[in-house]
Amino acid sequence: MNNNELFENTSIPKAYFTMALPVVFSMVISLVYNMADTYFVAKTMNTNLVAGVSLCAPIFTFMIALGDIFGIGGSSVISRLFGQQMNKEAKNVSGFCFYASILCGIVVTIFMFILKDPMLNFLGVNKETWLYANQYYNIIALGSTFIILSLTPSNLIRTEGLATLSMVGTVLGSILNIILDPIFIFSFHMGAQGAALASVIGYILSDFLLIYFTRAKANRLSVSFKDCHIEKKEFLDIFTIGIPASITNLMSSIGVALTNRYLVVFGNENVAAMGIALKVNMILLLIMVGFAFGAQPLLGFNYGAKNTERLRAFIKFDIFIEVTFALITAVILSIFAPYIIQSFMNDAQIIQTGSLMLRLLVLSSPCVGIILVFTTLFQSEGKALPALILSISRQGVIYAICIVILSKLFTFHGILISQAIADVVTAIIAILIYSKQKTVTK
């Protein structure tokens, strides 16, 4: 079968779900892994250990953000090159991204050890949590290359339509992590070190499988060092798209930190309630991200091929799926909010406040779907500035403006509605940018 059959001729719904559903499943498994990881660490009943591991969580976010530079940036460039039938150039981009991510991981490891004490202090580690945070930190620092690398082949092989294999590699690594967690933490009495080691070994398995799939199944990609030469334009394209993509992850962490900072003055119980609401909302968001990322290679290919009619059909279908899913899920989560919050913590005040928070978070989820579609579209088209604007808006600049103004106007409830307002404003910005782009290209 023609390598481009899925991208050029397969029906819009079939091509979309063929690419998107494996990514959605990977996101769900990733969420299960995160919850299981938290569960096993919490089962130690050692508050300082749990806190030490939790304080190191931003390190993971940072590494994934770096991996996105080469994974998302590279897949954006490769998709467009495939659409232009420039297969040799695409192969070189894949080789470059593969080895650049390895080099990035090595550099991160070196700097993490050089700057270990300042970084642990910056993360808020104190004398009670230092031992456990230090143990976790050391293992993660040693494994940073494997963590950063995993984002590259998992994204790149989807440009050839191998979304299912990308899912298999990612999911099996997560499953191994879940299996090893209780073994290392409890059976081997390794505590924080065990949690970190289980994570790194899971990533090593994912890397091994994804590299194997790239070599054995991908016809136009490479992990060979001889296929690393790229032109200056392609080099710049990778980073101009990859960096905004990585900023999205960093903005998420900043947004949560900003929310907690404003809520803490109203009591720790409100911070706890928001933590639960955000965890539940993450389920909805990760699935929506899965649909958006799954469609990205289809958008990039047809943009590169200048198949405007098929590109617009994919955009419309992508928006329809995102918004429809968001609406249905938002209604369900709103109805059952008290029962969902109660399953996490059976406290009357937490249930009441957490339910309100969850309902306000999912209220604007259709807008989030629109933002995701246009963000991935601009990344696929290589339009760095629009992608950057949307990446720093929803949980960054726009959200910061909203929470500062609304917290002064409406105090506690102003904080709660800030994300919904930021979502609406960012969605409007996304639509306006897209409309302007269409006008310019006509």
Side-chain angles (χ1 to χ4, degrees):
M1 187 175 89
N2 184 340
N3 284 324
N4 297 335
E5 181 70 22
L6 178 70
F7 296 86
E8 293 180 320
N9 301 316
T10 303
S11 69
I12 300 296
K14 183 178 179 180
Y16 181 89
F17 288 117
T18 298
M19 293 295 290
L21 288 181
V23 184
V24 169
F25 187 70
S26 295
M27 292 291 182
V28 172
I29 293 297
S30 175
L31 182 66
V32 171
Y33 147 68
N34 283 323
M35 289 186 168
D37 206 43
T38 303
Y39 172 81
F40 288 123
V41 171
K43 280 296 180 182
T44 63
M45 305 302 291
N46 184 334
T47 304
N48 290 330
L49 189 155
V50 175
V53 171
S54 299
L55 288 169
C56 291
I59 296 173
F60 259 113
T61 304
F62 174 69
M63 291 181 182
I64 291 170
L66 290 175
D68 280 342
I69 293 175
F70 307 103
I72 297 177
S75 63
S76 169
V77 175
I78 290 170
S79 294
R80 280 177 275 129
L81 290 172
F82 281 164
Q84 297 164 15
Q85 306 299 317
M86 298 173 68
N87 294 339
K88 174 60 178 173
E89 290 81 357
K91 176 176 281 192
N92 288 340
V93 170
S94 68
F96 170 83
C97 288
F98 181 79
Y99 287 99
S101 64
I102 292 175
L103 178 61
C104 178
I106 294 171
V107 171
V108 168
T109 296
I110 294 170
F111 275 95
M112 281 187 68
F113 279 110
I114 292 174
L115 302 173
K116 181 169 70 171
D117 288 356
M119 286 189 69
L120 288 175
N121 283 318
F122 175 76
L123 292 169
V125 177
N126 55 32
K127 62 180 181 179
E128 287 80 18
T129 57
W130 186 276
L131 172 64
Y132 307 107
N134 182 59
Q135 291 174 344
Y136 190 87
Y137 182 98
N138 287 338
I139 300 295
I140 294 301
L142 287 171
S144 59
T145 299
F146 302 107
I147 297 169
I148 293 170
L149 173 62
S150 68
L151 276 296
T152 299
S154 65
N155 277 288
L156 298 192
I157 64 174
R158 290 192 291 110
T159 62
E160 281 208 43
L162 303 175
T164 301
L165 292 181
S166 175
M167 174 196 71
V168 170
T170 303
V171 167
L172 289 181
S174 297
I175 291 173
L176 179 62
N177 190 344
I178 293 170
I179 294 171
L180 292 179
D181 259 334
I183 296 173
F184 289 162
I185 294 172
F186 303 114
S187 299
F188 293 169
H189 306 289
M190 295 178 68
Q193 286 179 316
L197 186 59
S199 295
V200 172
I201 292 175
Y203 276 106
I204 291 173
L205 175 63
S206 289
D207 290 341
F208 174 81
L209 291 171
L210 291 166
I211 291 169
Y212 169 75
F213 293 148
T214 304
R215 290 175 60 88
K217 302 296 183 181
N219 299 318
R220 296 173 292 173
L221 301 175
S222 176
V223 292
S224 173
F225 191 71
K226 66 181 178 64
D227 295 318
C228 283
H229 176 72
I230 60 173
E231 300 298 326
K232 181 180 178 181
K233 180 183 181 302
E234 292 156 356
F235 177 87
L236 294 175
D237 281 350
I238 291 168
F239 285 92
T240 53
I241 296 302
I243 290 175
S246 72
I247 288 173
T248 302
N249 271 317
L250 297 177
M251 286 298 108
S252 176
S253 296
I254 292 171
V256 172
L258 195 59
T259 302
N260 289 337
R261 182 175 177 181
Y262 273 83
L263 278 177
V264 73
V265 298
F266 294 95
N268 289 333
E269 66 278 2
N270 287 309
V271 176
M274 179 59 80
I276 295 170
L278 286 170
K279 180 74 75 173
V280 176
N281 189 51
M282 189 191 300
I283 300 172
L284 169 60
L285 293 182
L286 280 177
I287 293 174
M288 293 172 67
V289 168
F291 280 119
F293 274 48
Q296 193 169 15
L298 298 167
L299 301 175
F301 180 94
N302 284 283
Y303 178 79
K306 293 183 169 50
N307 191 341
T308 305
E309 183 178 349
R310 188 168 172 84
L311 174 62
R312 289 180 179 170
F314 273 121
I315 294 169
K316 289 178 182 178
F317 191 77
D318 198 7
I319 291 174
F320 171 76
I321 294 298
E322 291 277 10
V323 172
T324 301
F325 175 80
L327 284 171
I328 294 171
T329 311
V331 170
I332 294 171
L333 291 177
S334 296
I335 292 172
F336 295 101
Y339 306 101
I340 296 170
I341 301 298
Q342 185 179 15
S343 68
F344 283 85
M345 187 173 287
N346 193 9
D347 177 279
Q349 183 60 42
I350 295 290
I351 293 170
Q352 180 181 358
T353 307
S355 298
L356 174 62
M357 290 172 171
L358 179 57
R359 285 165 177 156
L360 290 173
L361 284 171
V362 301
L363 179 66
S364 58
S365 54
C367 292
V368 178
I370 293 170
I371 296 165
L372 285 169
V373 170
F374 288 120
T375 301
T376 52
L377 172 65
F378 296 141
Q379 290 171 350
S380 301
E381 294 179 340
K383 295 175 179 175
L385 182 58
L388 177 62
I389 290 171
L390 296 185
S391 295
I392 65 173
S393 294
R394 179 181 171 259
Q395 291 187 297
V397 176
I398 300 298
Y399 179 63
I401 293 171
C402 288
I403 200 169
V404 168
I405 295 174
L406 295 174
S407 64
K408 290 184 182 298
L409 293 176
F410 306 108
T411 62
F412 178 70
H413 289 91
I415 298 169
L416 302 192
I417 64 172
S418 293
Q419 187 63 73
I421 300 300
D423 291 344
V424 173
V425 173
T426 308
I428 292 171
I429 292 172
I431 293 169
L432 290 174
I433 293 174
Y434 175 67
S435 299
K436 179 68 174 177
Q437 297 282 336
K438 283 177 66 179
T439 303
V440 170
T441 55
K442 278 183 181 179

